[in-house]
mmCIF file of all heavy atoms in Angstrom:
data_model
loop_
_atom_site.group_PDB
_atom_site.id
_atom_site.type_symbol
_atom_site.label_atom_id
_atom_site.label_comp_id
_atom_site.label_asym_id
_atom_site.label_seq_id
_atom_site.Cartn_x
_atom_site.Cartn_y
_atom_site.Cartn_z
ATOM 1 N N ASP A 89 -36.287 121.350 -8.431
ATOM 2 C CA ASP A 89 -36.845 120.122 -7.856
ATOM 3 C C ASP A 89 -35.952 118.906 -8.103
ATOM 4 O O ASP A 89 -36.296 117.793 -7.686
ATOM 5 C CB ASP A 89 -38.240 119.857 -8.430
ATOM 6 C CG ASP A 89 -39.249 120.928 -8.041
ATOM 7 O OD1 ASP A 89 -39.332 121.262 -6.845
ATOM 8 O OD2 ASP A 89 -39.956 121.428 -8.952
ATOM 9 N N THR A 90 -34.849 119.103 -8.808
ATOM 10 C CA THR A 90 -33.886 118.015 -8.990
ATOM 11 C C THR A 90 -33.350 117.579 -7.635
ATOM 12 O O THR A 90 -32.818 118.403 -6.878
ATOM 13 C CB THR A 90 -32.730 118.468 -9.891
ATOM 14 O OG1 THR A 90 -33.220 118.690 -11.217
ATOM 15 C CG2 THR A 90 -31.622 117.424 -9.927
ATOM 16 N N ALA A 91 -33.488 116.298 -7.334
ATOM 17 C CA ALA A 91 -33.131 115.827 -5.993
ATOM 18 C C ALA A 91 -33.213 114.312 -5.933
ATOM 19 O O ALA A 91 -33.762 113.662 -6.832
ATOM 20 C CB ALA A 91 -34.078 116.417 -4.945
ATOM 21 N N VAL A 92 -32.674 113.762 -4.861
ATOM 22 C CA VAL A 92 -32.963 112.377 -4.492
ATOM 23 C C VAL A 92 -34.209 112.399 -3.611
ATOM 24 O O VAL A 92 -34.263 113.156 -2.635
ATOM 25 C CB VAL A 92 -31.801 111.734 -3.727
ATOM 26 C CG1 VAL A 92 -32.184 110.337 -3.231
ATOM 27 C CG2 VAL A 92 -30.557 111.654 -4.613
ATOM 28 N N TYR A 93 -35.192 111.607 -3.978
ATOM 29 C CA TYR A 93 -36.452 111.558 -3.251
ATOM 30 C C TYR A 93 -36.491 110.257 -2.437
ATOM 31 O O TYR A 93 -36.319 109.167 -2.991
ATOM 32 C CB TYR A 93 -37.635 111.628 -4.209
ATOM 33 C CG TYR A 93 -37.838 113.017 -4.784
ATOM 34 C CD1 TYR A 93 -36.991 113.505 -5.772
ATOM 35 C CD2 TYR A 93 -38.860 113.842 -4.317
ATOM 36 C CE1 TYR A 93 -37.149 114.786 -6.278
ATOM 37 C CE2 TYR A 93 -39.033 115.127 -4.816
ATOM 38 C CZ TYR A 93 -38.169 115.588 -5.801
ATOM 39 O OH TYR A 93 -38.338 116.865 -6.302
ATOM 40 N N TYR A 94 -36.705 110.412 -1.143
ATOM 41 C CA TYR A 94 -36.784 109.267 -0.236
ATOM 42 C C TYR A 94 -38.219 109.091 0.275
ATOM 43 O O TYR A 94 -38.887 110.077 0.599
ATOM 44 C CB TYR A 94 -35.907 109.477 0.993
ATOM 45 C CG TYR A 94 -34.427 109.578 0.755
ATOM 46 C CD1 TYR A 94 -33.792 110.816 0.683
ATOM 47 C CD2 TYR A 94 -33.640 108.437 0.642
ATOM 48 C CE1 TYR A 94 -32.420 110.913 0.498
ATOM 49 C CE2 TYR A 94 -32.263 108.516 0.452
ATOM 50 C CZ TYR A 94 -31.667 109.767 0.381
ATOM 51 O OH TYR A 94 -30.305 109.854 0.203
ATOM 52 N N CYS A 95 -38.633 107.851 0.400
ATOM 53 C CA CYS A 95 -39.809 107.584 1.214
ATOM 54 C C CYS A 95 -39.310 107.090 2.575
ATOM 55 O O CYS A 95 -38.229 106.489 2.675
ATOM 56 C CB CYS A 95 -40.749 106.561 0.588
ATOM 57 S SG CYS A 95 -40.041 104.948 0.210
ATOM 58 N N ALA A 96 -40.066 107.386 3.610
ATOM 59 C CA ALA A 96 -39.621 107.051 4.963
ATOM 60 C C ALA A 96 -40.831 106.763 5.844
ATOM 61 O O ALA A 96 -41.923 107.287 5.614
ATOM 62 C CB ALA A 96 -38.792 108.192 5.554
ATOM 63 N N ARG A 97 -40.598 105.947 6.855
ATOM 64 C CA ARG A 97 -41.638 105.638 7.825
ATOM 65 C C ARG A 97 -41.448 106.513 9.055
ATOM 66 O O ARG A 97 -40.407 106.459 9.720
ATOM 67 C CB ARG A 97 -41.578 104.161 8.232
ATOM 68 C CG ARG A 97 -42.726 103.722 9.117
ATOM 69 C CD ARG A 97 -42.677 102.243 9.407
ATOM 70 N NE ARG A 97 -41.693 101.911 10.431
ATOM 71 C CZ ARG A 97 -41.572 100.705 10.979
ATOM 72 N NH1 ARG A 97 -42.371 99.732 10.578
ATOM 73 N NH2 ARG A 97 -40.662 100.476 11.909
ATOM 74 N N GLY A 98 -42.462 107.313 9.344
ATOM 75 C CA GLY A 98 -42.427 108.174 10.512
ATOM 76 C C GLY A 98 -43.122 107.509 11.688
ATOM 77 O O GLY A 98 -44.257 107.052 11.561
ATOM 78 N N ALA A 99 -42.421 107.466 12.789
ATOM 79 C CA ALA A 99 -42.971 106.831 13.983
ATOM 80 C C ALA A 99 -43.299 107.881 15.032
ATOM 81 O O ALA A 99 -42.648 108.926 15.119
ATOM 82 C CB ALA A 99 -41.972 105.824 14.544
ATOM 83 N N LYS A 100 -44.320 107.592 15.810
ATOM 84 C CA LYS A 100 -44.698 108.450 16.928
ATOM 85 C C LYS A 100 -44.562 107.648 18.216
ATOM 86 O O LYS A 100 -45.137 106.561 18.331
ATOM 87 C CB LYS A 100 -46.148 108.925 16.780
ATOM 88 C CG LYS A 100 -46.671 109.734 17.972
ATOM 89 C CD LYS A 100 -48.133 110.110 17.769
ATOM 90 C CE LYS A 100 -48.703 110.835 18.988
ATOM 91 N NZ LYS A 100 -50.135 111.192 18.798
ATOM 92 N N GLY A 101 -43.804 108.172 19.151
ATOM 93 C CA GLY A 101 -43.651 107.515 20.440
ATOM 94 C C GLY A 101 -44.218 108.384 21.538
ATOM 95 O O GLY A 101 -44.294 109.602 21.402
ATOM 96 N N ILE A 102 -44.640 107.734 22.601
ATOM 97 C CA ILE A 102 -45.153 108.464 23.746
ATOM 98 C C ILE A 102 -44.038 108.542 24.780
ATOM 99 O O ILE A 102 -43.508 107.523 25.219
ATOM 100 C CB ILE A 102 -46.387 107.771 24.332
ATOM 101 C CG1 ILE A 102 -47.463 107.640 23.246
ATOM 102 C CG2 ILE A 102 -46.913 108.569 25.522
ATOM 103 C CD1 ILE A 102 -47.874 108.949 22.613
ATOM 104 N N ALA A 103 -43.673 109.776 25.139
ATOM 105 C CA ALA A 103 -42.541 110.011 26.035
ATOM 106 C C ALA A 103 -43.020 110.809 27.244
ATOM 107 O O ALA A 103 -44.136 111.326 27.233
ATOM 108 C CB ALA A 103 -41.457 110.769 25.277
ATOM 109 N N PRO A 104 -42.187 110.925 28.269
ATOM 110 C CA PRO A 104 -42.618 111.605 29.499
ATOM 111 C C PRO A 104 -43.152 113.009 29.298
ATOM 112 O O PRO A 104 -44.086 113.417 29.986
ATOM 113 C CB PRO A 104 -41.338 111.607 30.341
ATOM 114 C CG PRO A 104 -40.585 110.412 29.887
ATOM 115 C CD PRO A 104 -40.856 110.308 28.410
ATOM 116 N N SER A 105 -42.564 113.762 28.341
ATOM 117 C CA SER A 105 -42.989 115.147 28.152
ATOM 118 C C SER A 105 -43.866 115.338 26.927
ATOM 119 O O SER A 105 -44.027 116.455 26.446
ATOM 120 C CB SER A 105 -41.760 116.060 28.053
ATOM 121 O OG SER A 105 -41.015 116.010 29.256
ATOM 122 N N GLY A 106 -44.417 114.257 26.416
ATOM 123 C CA GLY A 106 -45.284 114.351 25.253
ATOM 124 C C GLY A 106 -44.890 113.365 24.188
ATOM 125 O O GLY A 106 -44.194 112.393 24.436
ATOM 126 N N ALA A 107 -45.322 113.661 22.963
ATOM 127 C CA ALA A 107 -45.052 112.734 21.865
ATOM 128 C C ALA A 107 -43.712 113.041 21.210
ATOM 129 O O ALA A 107 -43.263 114.181 21.170
ATOM 130 C CB ALA A 107 -46.167 112.804 20.829
ATOM 131 N N THR A 108 -43.109 112.011 20.699
ATOM 132 C CA THR A 108 -41.832 112.134 19.994
ATOM 133 C C THR A 108 -41.977 111.546 18.606
ATOM 134 O O THR A 108 -42.626 110.511 18.433
ATOM 135 C CB THR A 108 -40.690 111.441 20.774
ATOM 136 O OG1 THR A 108 -39.492 111.506 20.013
ATOM 137 C CG2 THR A 108 -41.024 109.983 21.082
#
Side-chain angles (χ1 to χ4, degrees):
Chain A
D89 295 311
T90 293
V92 174
Y93 286 75
Y94 296 98
C95 57
R97 187 176 78 171
K100 175 183 176 181
I102 302 303
S105 298
T108 176

